[in-house]
Amino acid sequence: TQLLEQSPQFLSIQEGENLTVYCNSSSVFSSLQWYRQEPGEGPVLLVTVVTGGEVKKLKRLTFQFGDARKDSSLHITAAQPGDTGLYLCAKYSGSARQLTFGSGTQLTVLP
Amino acid sequence: KAGVTQTPRYLIKTRGQQVTLSCSPISGHRSVSWYQQTPGQGLQFLFEYFSETQRNKGNFPGRFSGRQFSNSRSEMNVSTLELGDSALYLCASSLGRLAGGNEQFFGPGTRLTVL
């Protein structure tokens, strides 16, 4: 059962465009992590958001945690080919004592 | 500081065989977690080891097992391989346990193909 839904599943855009990807859950989570995975590599942690309504910026990437802590978004401004990769959200489940990942958004930025 | 290393990077096996994958964590990290990544199911948690003890396990059959050594290096074993076991197996290490909110660092993975 996929507890975290990500959309869109695939996204192909031109260099310079803006985009937003979403991560949604039917239940509240205490914190959420965003990762990027490039071909042939493991995921790399980008950010952790913990407070409802929180906004974090990492250069051209803006991460937002929903007020109700059931959703999150990642916005990329002026995308570059180097942003290409699989973007994954993940939450820690205390009851299951494991990290649960969303299905991912495969982003391709064309030069 | 060297990152997480996994060996081998690629492996081809046939149904019914068994396989052992190896993971060397970042120096000083005591927790090692294993994940399976497939196009259909995404990234799924297999198990976490800390101080040579399995601390929790995901929803996988008993054919999947692992262990951790005193130097924190970990191995994962899959017995009686099935076609559906074809996947990228990722190892991640962290200073402390997942329950402590410790950041995980992932290795590049081992690509297993079962024929």
Side-chain angles (χ1 to χ4, degrees):
Chain A
T1 302
Q2 193 61 263
L3 302 178
L4 288 175
E5 294 187 1
Q6 289 189 242
S7 61
Q9 189 176 357
F10 297 96
L11 191 54
S12 181
I13 61 171
Q14 293 292 136
E15 181 176 1
E17 293 183 357
N18 302 330
L19 66 114
T20 303
V21 300
Y22 301 91
C23 176
N24 295 284
S25 172
S26 57
S27 57
V28 173
F29 33 82
S30 57
S31 66
L32 190 88
Q33 299 178 337
W34 282 95
Y35 291 81
R36 179 171 65 212
Q37 184 178 18
E38 299 183 16
E41 301 294 331
V44 174
L45 180 67
L46 296 173
V47 75
T48 301
V49 286
V50 297
T51 305
E54 182 177 7
V55 177
K56 282 191 173 180
K57 292 192 175 184
L58 185 65
K59 296 183 180 178
R60 293 175 294 100
L61 278 61
T62 302
F63 304 85
Q64 186 160 7
F65 201 10
D67 291 338
R69 288 159 48 209
K70 295 172 73 172
D71 60 273
S72 182
S73 64
L74 159 59
H75 182 79
I76 301 180
T77 304
Q80 300 177 359
D83 296 326
T84 293
L86 178 66
Y87 288 81
L88 296 156
C89 62
K91 68 172 185 177
Y92 180 75
S93 170
S95 58
R97 293 179 296 166
Q98 61 179 265
L99 202 59
T100 300
F101 283 84
S103 52
T105 293
Q106 182 63 55
L107 171 66
T108 303
V109 182
L110 303 169
Chain B
K1 185 185 272 191
V4 178
T5 58
Q6 293 186 246
T7 57
R9 291 293 308 275
Y10 302 91
L11 205 49
I12 300 176
K13 292 286 189 179
T14 57
R15 279 183 302 174
Q17 288 187 309
Q18 73 165 18
V19 66
T20 299
L21 312 181
S22 181
C23 172
S24 292
I26 292 172
S27 177
H29 284 195
R30 296 174 61 195
S31 172
V32 173
S33 297
W34 288 89
Y35 295 84
Q36 181 196 65
Q37 187 173 29
T38 60
Q41 296 298 317
L43 227 165
Q44 294 185 291
F45 173 81
L46 279 159
F47 27 66
E48 178 191 14
Y49 283 87
F50 182 82
S51 293
E52 302 177 63
T53 303
Q54 186 181 92
R55 300 295 172 163
N56 48 75
K57 184 175 167 67
N59 189 26
F60 280 83
R63 300 185 297 106
F64 292 80
S65 63
R67 58 178 176 168
Q68 186 180 35
F69 303 95
S70 58
N71 61 358
S72 294
R73 191 176 69 85
S74 178
E75 288 181 347
M76 190 194 108
N77 184 274
V78 187
S79 62
T80 320
L81 284 166
E82 301 177 359
L83 295 179
D85 296 333
S86 294
L88 180 67
Y89 290 89
L90 292 160
C91 163
S93 76
S94 56
L95 277 171
R97 292 185 57 185
L98 284 178
N102 290 277
E103 180 181 353
Q104 289 186 107
F105 295 82
F106 284 83
T110 293
R111 172 73 63 186
L112 172 64
T113 301
V114 182
L115 303 175

